[in-house]
Amino acid sequence: MKNLPIFDLLIIAAYLVGMVLVGIYFASKNKNPEQYSKASGSIPGWAIGLSIYATFLSSNTFLGVPGKAFGSNWNAFVFSISMPLAAWVAAKYFVPFYRNTGEVSAYTNLEKRFGAWARTYAVVCFLFTQLARMGSIFFGISLTLQALTGYDMEVIMLVTGICIIIYTVMGGIEAVIWTEVVQGVLKTLGALLIVYLIINSMPGGVSKIVEIGKSDHKYGLGSLSLDFTSATFWVILLYGFFINLNNFGMDQNYVQRYHTATSEKEASKSVWLCVWIYVPASLLFFIIGTCLYAYYQVNPAMIEPVKLQAAAERLGAGASSADISRLAATLLPEDYGDKVMPHFMVTMIPTGLIGLIVSAILSAAMSTISSGMNASATVFSEDIYKRYLNRKISQQENMRLLHIATVVFGLIGMLCGIAMIGVKSILDIWWQLSGIFAGGMLGLFLLGIISKKSGNLEAFAATIVGLLVIVWMSLSHLIPEEFAYLKNPLHANMIIVVGTLSIFLTGSLLASFKNKKEADPSVTTGRKVPQKEY
């Protein structure tokens, strides 16, 4: 099917128009930067919790998680299992910290603690993380809509991007939060509908799905061995804890929402509400992947077009049909997992319901992208423009700056999405990029919060060490084989773990050494000082 039925197109168009109208409605309320970035602290905790949940539940989850479960097992679900511990730390320490500072930017405190360089470094890491996130989500949504419509992925990114930019620019953080409340509900209902349709189409129903899943080991959470070179249970658990700690503690998307709450208590409630909804919701997407795997095991002929499409994309334009067929026959489920759910939608979901499910996937993409655009614009305004270019900017000029920055970051996010066309797994590419960019930022933040005796010099030296470690771990695969002993032996998801600990431990040890040196007069005088001279 190369064209959606008119009825489905009308449903999707109505959804996009509705989102734009929401932005227009809230535009009249945004009279100043405080309202645009903080909603003047007027949002109830339950709405913020649903908003954070919707940001977590991006199209990377909607498409990438079922693709991952289809191609392997439930190992990636361990990421969700790590969330409650990170949420506990956030609610107990991070939320009160940010609410007490009153700073809309998550990175202002780093300058007070270590100097301007620390703030700027964290801002750069955050912006790169957001561009990687937006790019992966633009890519994911265009992958689905291309399968449904036949339009070029670049055109799809442009159309959806324009709609997202319009309502984000006009509505500010309040429009983002309230649209995400609707989107969170919509995407959850969409996932439940997909599960129902797969089970309804499956000969043998639930029992057959469970049987196939068991026989092919689809429910495993990963090896429990202490092996950090592959995606074991412990690697994903550590990765998930550090990434979620970064999300709740350093990510402007979430920190900014703490300031929109009516009170500190409501802000803490929003964190826990997000966790208790997201964990079972993410499990639902793993169930979808396993259901799809079982469905296509029973109907193997129906998966052939997906394998041929994946093979054609790998070989590129000009490949012969024979070459495509030969490659398709060798592909494993993990090689085409991200394309399976779009294919099921094209072939098995009836008219009308496709429009609803595509709207759910669009909402998954739009909520995260709009949030990232708003947060990036806020950080650019607070931490770059006001800090280095114009400290005395007027409210009117600041509003104009926020609008322009939102548009610019949205457009750059689209370009990043175009650059990702052809990647093997949406979830893998996002996890790798976020681990690289977030590691140094989180390590510096924890050093400032926990190690009270660490100063500017210790933090700077520790950050240099951490950066060198992260660069080596990220790029060591490029080292020639004759120097294989110099390559990073750990799994890619360990980058954020090792990078964070490198900065925190190095800074703490340097601070401890400095304080010990200052406390011992013999170190500076060169002689042992008698006890009575102290």
Side-chain angles (χ1 to χ4, degrees), residues 287-461:
I287 292 172
I288 289 175
T290 303
C291 289
L292 287 170
Y293 177 83
Y295 176 81
Y296 285 111
Q297 286 294 303
V298 174
N299 302 283
M302 296 184 67
I303 200 66
E304 288 305 313
V306 178
K307 296 169 70 174
L308 290 170
Q309 179 191 358
E313 289 179 2
R314 286 197 177 191
L315 293 173
S320 67
S321 299
D323 289 338
I324 292 173
S325 297
R326 276 194 294 269
L327 178 58
T330 65
L331 294 181
L332 300 173
E334 57 263 34
D335 296 322
Y336 52 87
D338 284 345
K339 296 176 173 58
V340 172
M341 192 158 81
H343 177 262
F344 180 82
M345 292 169 61
V346 169
T347 55
M348 298 303 298
I349 297 179
T351 300
L353 293 181
I354 295 181
L356 291 173
I357 292 176
V358 170
S359 296
I361 297 175
L362 274 172
S363 72
M366 294 174 76
S367 61
T368 308
I369 294 173
S370 62
S371 177
M373 288 165 53
N374 184 276
S376 298
T378 300
V379 165
F380 178 81
S381 170
E382 296 292 325
D383 298 298
I384 297 179
Y385 191 85
K386 289 183 182 180
R387 175 63 182 82
Y388 295 106
L389 301 177
N390 186 0
R391 292 178 179 270
K392 299 181 179 179
I393 186 173
S394 67
Q395 286 194 353
Q396 184 177 3
E397 290 172 333
N398 197 10
M399 286 295 290
R400 188 182 305 115
L401 173 65
L402 287 168
H403 290 159
I404 294 173
T406 301
V407 173
V408 170
F409 282 110
L411 293 175
I412 297 175
M414 278 189 268
L415 292 176
C416 291
I418 292 172
M420 290 181 186
I421 292 175
V423 300
K424 182 178 177 180
S425 169
I426 302 172
L427 197 63
D428 282 346
I429 191 67
W430 162 236
W431 278 17
Q432 289 176 20
L433 290 174
S434 62
I436 292 169
F437 296 132
M441 184 167 55
L442 178 60
L444 187 60
F445 174 74
L446 293 177
L447 183 65
I449 292 291
I450 299 173
S451 182
K452 300 297 184 182
K453 295 181 179 179
S454 298
N456 181 19
L457 184 61
E458 294 78 32
F460 185 77

Side-chain angles (χ1 to χ4, degrees), residues 21-73:
L21 292 176
V22 168
I24 294 173
Y25 170 76
F26 282 105
S28 60
K29 294 187 175 186
N30 291 312
K31 303 299 183 184
N32 55 68
E34 173 81 8
Q35 178 66 32
Y36 191 85
S37 299
K38 291 185 180 181
S40 298
S42 61
I43 309 295
W46 65 267
I48 299 171
L50 284 174
S51 172
I52 297 175
Y53 160 69
T55 302
F56 262 103
L57 195 62
S58 67
S59 59
N60 288 347
T61 304
F62 216 108
L63 298 171
V65 168
K68 197 72 174 172
F70 179 93
S72 56
N73 54 23

Side-chain angles (χ1 to χ4, degrees), residues 46 64 108 128 147 176 185 210 216 283 290 316 359 385 392 446 466 478:
W46 65 267
T108 305
F128 275 121
V176 169
V185 174
V210 172
D216 290 355
L283 178 61
T290 303
S359 296
Y385 191 85
K392 299 181 179 179
L446 293 177
L478 301 175

